[in-house]
Amino acid sequence: MELFVSDSCGFCVGVRHAVSLIESVLKENPDSPVYSLGMFIHNEKEIERLKLSGLKVVDSIDDVPDGSIILLPSHGTPPEIKEKCRQKALESVDLICTYVKKLQEIALSLKREGFDVVMIGDKDHPEVRAVRAIVGDLIVVDKAALLNDNLNLSISNRYGVISQTTQSLEFYREAVDWLLGKAFPKKEVRVYNTICWDVVERQAKVQELASQCDVVFVLGGRKSANTRRLFEISSETTMTILISDLSDFLPDYVKGKERIGIISGTSTPMWFVDKFIGLLNSLDADIKMKKDGDINGQ
Ligand code: SF4
């Protein structure tokens, strides 16, 4: 059995930065509770690990006692929540990723220049909700909008298009084509590609893995948008299994398989990837480990 472990496993740069910041805050404040507003990353395993070090996760800002330390999520925080933090005299540590921050800056500058902002993404994703809170009216283009062809874009003459950072490149292209060709005749349209490079790279790598392997394991949280997209892309080509807990694995998945691929979402810790590799190794002592460069048979 050959095991191809993608180089794109473990945290992306934004999540790595957020986790190391949290670890320092927890270490420097052993006697004060540190709160996270919702899941700061979409990975239950990593959140559980940090909870053991003292992190407290709350769903509402109202559940945080005045004067406490609060961690604001990496996918952005709406202005009204930041205002509530000020009113409650909370000490905020903003974990926002630089790519998400850049996306918000572009959205705001489009709004100020008089463009109606169109975001290609999932309407309920926290990143989209944060942008909506910043720019006010936000037109969200998702798969349903394309399918039903029901967006009303006839009023404004200027549209600025951005994308959720974890959007699939394929859907982004499809949506931009649709917007340009169908929805925007004779209008001014400014298009920004705000998809994160790490997400794009993982999507290309999972495609390559899927084309060469009998089964691909995508490791990550079930609520993680970018993990789900890796799963969808790989599923189009080969048998693909989403592993968010080691108990999701069944030995039958690898029975008779010769080439196995492993990749992870951007919020999946490397320690979880290593545990999964250990599990596979425990089934077959002769397993041969390969890296990205080996995938085409070199
Ligand atoms: S996936 Fe990209 S945008 Fe999201 S946190 Fe990671 S580096 Fe930042």
Side-chain angles (χ1 to χ4, degrees):
M1 210 153 66
E2 289 180 324
L3 187 59
F4 293 88
V5 182
S6 173
D7 292 343
S8 290
C9 277
F11 292 152
C12 62
V13 65
V15 173
R16 198 175 311 125
H17 169 74
V19 170
S20 84
L21 204 56
I22 294 170
E23 285 174 334
S24 335
V25 173
L26 288 168
K27 201 168 167 190
E28 284 160 17
N29 299 277
D31 302 321
S32 325
V34 176
Y35 292 86
S36 163
L37 190 53
M39 287 174 70
F40 72 97
I41 54 167
H42 289 132
N43 189 280
E44 295 84 358
K45 294 284 163 204
E46 185 61 7
I47 302 255
E48 276 166 24
R49 185 185 75 83
L50 290 164
K51 274 184 179 171
L52 292 177
S53 306
L55 182 69
K56 295 186 186 308
V57 180
V58 290
D59 289 330
S60 163
I61 192 84
D62 298 327
D63 298 333
V64 182
D66 290 4
S68 308
I69 301 170
I70 178 96
L71 304 168
L72 302 177
S74 48
H75 33 251
T77 307
E80 70 271 15
I81 300 288
K82 289 191 175 172
E83 180 52 34
K84 267 206 162 179
C85 291
R86 273 188 288 274
Q87 287 167 8
K88 288 169 74 69
L90 302 179
E91 191 185 321
S92 310
V93 180
D94 199 342
L95 304 175
I96 190 167
C97 170
T98 47
Y99 295 109
V100 179
K101 203 169 175 162
K102 183 77 193 157
L103 157 76
Q104 293 186 349
E105 284 166 6
I106 292 171
L108 200 55
S109 104
L110 283 167
K111 188 78 190 169
R112 286 188 178 136
E113 284 186 64
F115 287 84
D116 279 6
V117 183
V118 178
M119 187 162 183
I120 299 167
D122 305 327
K123 63 180 172 19
D124 295 324
H125 191 277
E127 198 178 291
V128 176
R129 292 212 304 264
V131 172
R132 186 186 289 116
I134 289 167
V135 301
D137 290 337
L138 178 71
I139 301 164
V140 181
V141 174
D142 55 12
K143 286 196 171 137
L146 252 69
L147 206 65
N148 301 325
D149 203 4
N150 62 357
L151 275 186
N152 182 9
L153 297 162
S154 58
I155 301 164
S156 174
N157 276 319
R158 306 182 85 201
Y159 291 99
V161 182
I162 55 174
S163 169
Q164 189 180 317
T165 56
T166 48
Q167 191 55 254
S168 91
L169 193 55
E170 196 188 349
F171 181 68
Y172 172 78
R173 285 197 183 110
E174 198 186 325
V176 168
D177 271 1
W178 180 79
L179 287 164
L180 290 175
K182 197 166 171 79
F184 291 142
K186 303 192 187 95
K187 294 182 192 295
E188 183 184 353
V189 184
R190 198 179 283 178
V191 178
Y192 289 86
N193 179 357
T194 51
I195 301 177
C196 165
W197 65 268
D198 192 319
V199 170
V200 173
E201 191 173 58
R202 283 181 204 234
Q203 289 171 2
K205 288 201 172 158
V206 81
Q207 222 151 20
E208 201 178 353
L209 271 183
S211 67
Q212 301 290 331
C213 293
D214 304 316
V215 56
V216 170
F217 291 99
V218 177
L219 276 49
R222 290 184 187 274
K223 289 188 182 155
S224 158
N226 76 85
T227 301
R228 280 203 316 271
R229 293 206 208 294
L230 294 178
F231 175 80
E232 285 162 12
I233 292 168
S234 179
S235 299
E236 284 170 12
T237 308
T238 195
M239 175 177 160
T240 305
I241 311 291
L242 178 63
I243 303 284
S244 54
D245 187 279
L246 292 187
S247 63
D248 293 331
F249 175 78
L250 297 175
D252 271 1
Y253 293 146
V254 293
K255 210 169 174 183
K257 305 286 192 296
E258 290 179 4
R259 290 161 76 95
I260 296 166
I262 295 182
I263 194 164
S264 87
T266 56
S267 51
T268 307
M270 204 56 211
W271 61 258
F272 183 75
V273 178
D274 289 338
K275 271 192 173 185
F276 184 67
I277 293 172
L279 178 64
L280 291 179
N281 273 317
S282 71
L283 298 175
D284 181 353
D286 289 333
I287 212 160
K288 292 184 191 66
M289 297 280 285
K290 306 269 183 170
K291 297 300 278 181
D292 276 352
D294 304 320
I295 190 73
N296 292 317
Q298 299 94 318

